[in-house]
Amino acid sequence: MKGQLRNASSSLPKNTVLGTWVQRILFVVVMAAIVLGFCFSAAAQATPPFPGAQCRDIDPIKLYGGNEWDFQIRREGAPVGTHRLSFHPGRDGVQVIAESTITISFLGFTAYQFDYRSESLWQQDQLAKLAVTVDDDGDKTTVTARHDAKTNSLVVTGPDGSETLPATIFPTDHWHCGVLASQQVLNTITGHANRVRITNLGLEKITAGNGGATRIAATHIRYDGELQTDAWYDAEGRWVGLAFKARDGSSIIYRCLTCTKITGNTQ
């Protein structure tokens, strides 16, 4: 019995030391895994969603391959309108004009008409001026904005009055992929800032071009929060698609027409 106790007593320190070293090794392994996991996660989050895009210091004419970028607007699969972006460089910056027209007919009569025009001036990736006119089936509204150099802010006036927003806010014109790092955007129809959560849903194929026979690779971006919509961008950061629900619940899709001439990424 005495010998058994001695043996047990003499083996206990060895097992304790061994257990301590095993715990230390396991601790190091676990911590290494956590650190590596964090690094890989941070690297994944830091990786731009578009392999060829910088999303800053954008030259839109170079990026979009010309002065115009066109979409066909479709409602529940049927064409109902057009959306055109046009870029005009000047000494004061780049003027970007966005124009949309939607006409819904019933029995040969116009049942609904929507017209939208946005004129914005961009200086070094920042919105300097904005003027938007909307005719929503006879209900006309305007939104204007200007950069205030003294306060380095954007003063926005819309249907509900004026408010001051950060100078770095992006409007909901989508063409500039810098917006994808935002947590709020300027709604160019309401004149209000909308808080959003923007998520990258990954690469997929979307329909493009006249007739819908062409499919291009694009990254699917989702806006949640006070503004809910889906947008798509190609590998260079060009805006190539949009989808959202209209007030009546119908599905609206913007199908890119010009992009098939420049992306070269067709199937």
Side-chain angles (χ1 to χ4, degrees), residues 141-145 155-163 187-192:
T141 57
T142 61
V143 172
T144 61
V155 180
V156 182
T157 302
D160 299 323
S162 298
E163 59 182 299
N187 189 316
T188 58
I189 293 180
T190 67
H192 292 299

Side-chain angles (χ1 to χ4, degrees), residues 35-88:
V35 171
L36 286 173
F38 174 79
C39 291
F40 280 120
S41 174
Q45 292 178 2
T47 301
F50 322 116
Q54 296 297 324
C55 294
R56 61 182 182 179
D57 299 327
I58 289 179
D59 178 349
I61 295 178
K62 181 178 179 181
L63 176 63
Y64 283 91
N67 295 84
E68 295 180 348
W69 195 253
D70 292 332
F71 292 84
Q72 180 188 70
I73 302 176
R74 303 175 70 87
R75 175 180 180 269
E76 296 295 331
V80 293
T82 59
H83 181 86
R84 167 169 288 181
L85 285 170
S86 58
F87 308 105
H88 308 275

Side-chain angles (χ1 to χ4, degrees), residues 149-166:
K150 292 183 180 179
T151 59
N152 191 28
S153 61
L154 196 69
V155 180
V156 182
T157 302
D160 299 323
S162 298
E163 59 182 299
T164 301
L165 300 177

Side-chain angles (χ1 to χ4, degrees), residues 75 80 102-106 109-115 135-138 247:
R75 175 180 180 269
V80 293
I102 297 175
T103 303
I104 298 175
S105 300
F106 181 72
F109 296 94
T110 299
Y112 176 78
Q113 180 79 29
F114 177 87
D115 293 296
D135 186 341
D136 188 354
D137 206 30
R247 288 196 301 265

Side-chain angles (χ1 to χ4, degrees), residues 29-224:
V29 171
V30 169
M31 289 303 296
I34 291 173
V35 171
L36 286 173
F38 174 79
C39 291
F40 280 120
S41 174
Q45 292 178 2
T47 301
F50 322 116
Q54 296 297 324
C55 294
R56 61 182 182 179
D57 299 327
I58 289 179
D59 178 349
I61 295 178
K62 181 178 179 181
L63 176 63
Y64 283 91
N67 295 84
E68 295 180 348
W69 195 253
D70 292 332
F71 292 84
Q72 180 188 70
I73 302 176
R74 303 175 70 87
R75 175 180 180 269
E76 296 295 331
V80 293
T82 59
H83 181 86
R84 167 169 288 181
L85 285 170
S86 58
F87 308 105
H88 308 275
R91 290 189 302 176
D92 294 336
V94 178
Q95 183 189 43
V96 181
I97 299 177
E99 297 176 284
S100 296
T101 297
I102 297 175
T103 303
I104 298 175
S105 300
F106 181 72
L107 298 178
F109 296 94
T110 299
Y112 176 78
Q113 180 79 29
F114 177 87
D115 293 296
Y116 169 94
R117 179 180 173 89
S118 166
E119 297 184 20
S120 55
L121 178 66
W122 292 79
Q123 297 172 338
Q124 298 179 342
D125 282 347
Q126 187 168 296
L127 183 63
K129 293 180 182 179
L130 176 71
V132 179
T133 57
V134 178
D135 186 341
D136 188 354
D137 206 30
D139 184 9
K140 298 180 180 181
T141 57
T142 61
V143 172
T144 61
R146 60 174 179 82
H147 178 249
D148 187 336
K150 292 183 180 179
T151 59
N152 191 28
S153 61
L154 196 69
V155 180
V156 182
T157 302
D160 299 323
S162 298
E163 59 182 299
T164 301
L165 300 177
T168 54
I169 196 168
F170 281 87
T172 52
D173 282 340
H174 301 290
W175 68 270
H176 197 307
C177 62
V179 67
L180 301 181
S182 303
Q183 294 182 328
Q184 65 174 348
V185 293
L186 170 58
N187 189 316
T188 58
I189 293 180
T190 67
H192 292 299
N194 290 160
R195 296 196 62 82
V196 293
R197 182 176 64 256
I198 298 176
T199 307
N200 181 347
L201 299 183
L203 194 66
E204 59 189 45
K205 293 282 188 176
I206 64 170
T207 302
N210 280 314
T214 303
R215 291 175 67 80
I216 62 172
T219 298
H220 186 176
I221 302 295
R222 174 157 294 167
Y223 288 70
D224 287 311

